[in-house]
Amino acid sequence: MLDFEYTISTKIFFGKNKTMKLGNELNHYTKRMLLVYGGGSIKQSGIYDSVHKIIREHNITCKELSGVQPNPRISSVRNGIKLCRQNGLDFILAVGGGSVIDCAKAIAAGVPYDGDPWDLFLQGDSKIKRAIPIGTILTIAGTGSEMNGNAVITNEETAEKLAIHSDLIRPKFSILDPTNTFTVPKEQTAAGTVDIMSHIFEQYFSLTKGAFIQDRLAESMLSSCIHYGPIVMNEPENYEARANLMWTSSLALNGLLSYGKITDWATHAMEHALSAMYDVTHGVGLAIIIPHWMEYVLNDTNAYKFADYAKNVWGFTESDDMSLAKESIEKTKEFVRQLDMPTTLRDVGVNKHKLTEMAKKSVPFGDIGKFKKLNERDVLTILKNAF
Ligand code: NZQ
Ligand code: ZN
């Protein structure tokens, strides 16, 4: 295990009716805030009204940025920054999924930044010196954005999708009420489940030795997705299943699994290129790419890691590492099919002639992946296999 410093600072309110904690939290931070949300699901579910009631009761001035799209755009970020500056807003409440939360984080970092916010994505995290505080009410399990310092934004003019990372944009608090996810449609539930699993894979498939506790935690989290994902597909209002998926999503990408390890992140780089070019749902893109990444990177040196996955997550026994590894990849494919997800790039409308450009966009800052380093040619092969 490598050395690390632990900073998971987000305060979590988990459980039914925890939105009632919002007023108290807002009182700590603001009298003038920006509310950020997406395309309207929070109005249909009634969360929007509950939030406004609390805001009114606490005499907080509130401006709104609505219509944040899945795969959030830099233009929404620019609009949010303008609203904050023009109205002297000093706090952002994001109510929604990863897209809404990431947009709020980018606004938070952009308000005190003296330049265009896209610079922050191009020039690296050290550019982020300050950010205004944010809080979240999560409505879909998947990204873990509610408890981490990452934001992923698409530049619609250049068809690039890039990330920033900073503890300065970790939410100060997040309200996680699993009942708020009861209305998430099947396709998004499946996509969220695969996204959670992908975050675990990115950190689990590592060559760092001796991180026993991180690896066993990762396996439990994978088991949680494999157990509860299919249940929630058939029973959208199953509280236990929604609750376990929600908490797994937060734990899977808040730092817990990556502290003390070198982590991979190649499938995310590829998927971000895919969703930048085709506006595909993030978890759907991952579901297509992951099995092909697994098949491509598997070799005699790293098969032991896949064998652990086969034994400790899928319950296989009694075989050599390479056979176990191959079985685990088959099981992963089968699981994706069980969730009724697309399995090829062709299925989501990708044009074969765009794969070269997609491979190039997957490596914007050079080779990707630490479990197995991949260059542009490797990526192109994986994408062709996934086509
Ligand atoms: O916009 P609304 O109307 O709210 O509808 C959303 C959206 O259409 C809907 N939805 C959310 N909660 C709902 C609901 N519908 C009914 N009932 C509810 N309770 O679901 C759709 C998808 O929402 P979105 O926020 O896009 O989903 P997700 O949380 O999967 O976020 C995906 C984005 O996060 C990025 C992805 O790349 C993508 O842009 N990621 C962010 C990460 C991070 N910050 O750490 C890490 C991830 O790897 C990922 O890259
Ligand atoms: Zn992801």
Side-chain angles (χ1 to χ4, degrees):
M1 196 190 303
L2 307 173
D3 297 350
F4 61 87
E5 292 178 17
Y6 175 105
T7 331
I8 305 179
S9 50
T10 304
K11 190 169 170 183
I12 296 293
F13 297 97
F14 192 99
K16 288 176 189 157
N17 300 319
K18 288 295 177 191
T19 306
M20 67 186 182
K21 297 285 181 182
L22 179 64
N24 236 348
E25 287 306 301
L26 291 178
N27 269 344
H28 292 314
Y29 295 104
T30 187
K31 278 290 160 202
R32 299 181 68 78
M33 58 164 262
L34 180 69
L35 172 66
V36 181
Y37 60 98
S41 72
I42 68 161
K43 288 193 172 164
Q44 279 153 24
S45 62
I47 306 174
Y48 178 86
D49 289 340
S50 313
V51 166
H52 265 291
K53 186 164 176 281
I54 293 168
I55 289 170
R56 271 197 311 277
E57 282 167 3
H58 288 78
N59 294 318
I60 294 167
T61 300
C62 174
K63 299 287 173 190
E64 291 190 4
L65 177 71
S66 62
V68 173
Q69 293 154 294
N71 299 322
R73 317 293 200 262
I74 193 69
S75 51
S76 303
V77 175
R78 291 186 185 121
N79 290 339
I81 292 171
K82 217 180 283 167
L83 277 171
C84 287
R85 286 183 183 158
Q86 283 171 350
N87 296 285
L89 312 179
D90 57 7
F91 183 84
I92 306 173
L93 179 68
V95 185
S99 296
V100 166
I101 299 173
D102 286 4
C103 182
K105 288 174 173 175
I107 297 167
V111 170
Y113 177 69
D114 197 15
D116 184 70
W118 189 246
D119 295 351
L120 300 171
F121 291 83
L122 288 176
Q123 293 177 18
D125 305 333
S126 59
K127 279 254 169 195
I128 304 170
K129 305 279 186 225
R130 282 179 302 142
I132 61 174
I134 79 160
T136 87
I137 300 179
L138 184 67
T139 64
I140 176 172
T143 64
S145 188
E146 65 277 8
M147 210 176 170
N148 69 37
N150 313 330
V152 188
I153 298 292
T154 296
N155 184 327
E156 61 271 45
E157 284 149 28
T158 58
E160 287 169 290
K161 188 178 188 189
L162 299 175
I164 49 173
H165 317 85
S166 168
D167 282 329
L168 294 169
I169 54 173
R170 272 187 200 262
K172 298 294 176 200
F173 65 87
S174 284
I175 294 173
L176 273 54
D177 178 343
T179 66
N180 284 339
T181 66
F182 282 179
T183 52
V184 176
K186 267 193 170 182
E187 314 79 70
Q188 290 293 338
T189 299
T193 303
V194 171
D195 192 22
I196 302 170
M197 292 177 73
S198 77
H199 299 153
I200 305 166
F201 291 144
E202 299 278 22
Q203 301 166 91
Y204 180 71
F205 288 109
S206 159
L207 298 175
T208 306
K209 293 271 164 53
F212 181 93
I213 178 66
Q214 290 91 328
D215 288 350
R216 301 297 84 78
L217 283 169
E219 287 158 358
S220 306
M221 292 185 202
L222 286 168
S223 301
S224 165
C225 296
I226 290 163
H227 179 65
Y228 287 112
I231 293 178
V232 101
M233 294 290 284
N234 296 319
E235 301 169 40
E237 301 202 1
N238 182 317
Y239 183 84
E240 180 184 321
R242 289 288 191 190
N244 277 281
L245 283 178
M246 195 174 216
W247 190 222
T248 308
S249 95
S250 305
L251 293 177
L253 195 50
N254 66 1
L256 198 59
L257 298 183
S258 61
Y259 288 136
K261 292 182 77 175
I262 293 171
T263 55
D264 193 78
W265 297 104
T267 56
H268 270 71
M270 287 182 254
E271 196 296 314
H272 288 165
L274 165 64
S275 50
M277 290 172 67
Y278 283 94
D279 202 14
V280 164
T281 297
H282 176 60
V284 170
L286 289 164
I288 296 167
I289 292 167
I290 286 168
H292 295 283
W293 171 84
M294 287 179 164
E295 280 173 344
Y296 189 81
V297 302
L298 172 63
N299 60 31
D300 289 331
T301 318
N302 62 30
Y304 74 93
K305 199 74 211 177
F306 285 92
D308 277 356
Y309 169 50
K311 288 182 282 192
N312 300 337
V313 177
W314 290 110
F316 286 105
T317 49
E318 305 291 319
S319 192
D320 62 284
D321 282 358
M322 189 51 83
S323 309
L324 284 167
K326 288 180 178 162
E327 303 230 51
S328 75
I329 298 173
E330 283 313 307
K331 282 302 251 185
T332 310
K333 286 184 185 170
E334 202 181 301
F335 183 73
V336 166
R337 279 196 299 270
Q338 193 188 350
L339 295 181
D340 284 335
M341 302 187 79
T343 53
T344 68
L345 291 176
R346 194 188 275 118
D347 288 345
V348 293
V350 171
N351 178 333
K352 197 171 185 182
H353 301 296
K354 291 283 186 180
L355 294 182
T356 311
E357 184 185 344
M358 200 178 288
K360 198 181 184 63
K361 285 202 154 113
S362 300
V363 294
F365 305 112
D367 294 350
I368 54 172
K370 293 285 188 336
F371 185 61
K372 183 158 190 317
K373 200 159 139 183
L374 304 175
N375 61 29
E376 196 179 319
R377 263 205 328 274
D378 297 313
V379 171
L380 183 59
T381 308
I382 294 172
L383 294 176
K384 281 182 175 165
N385 293 343
F387 186 79

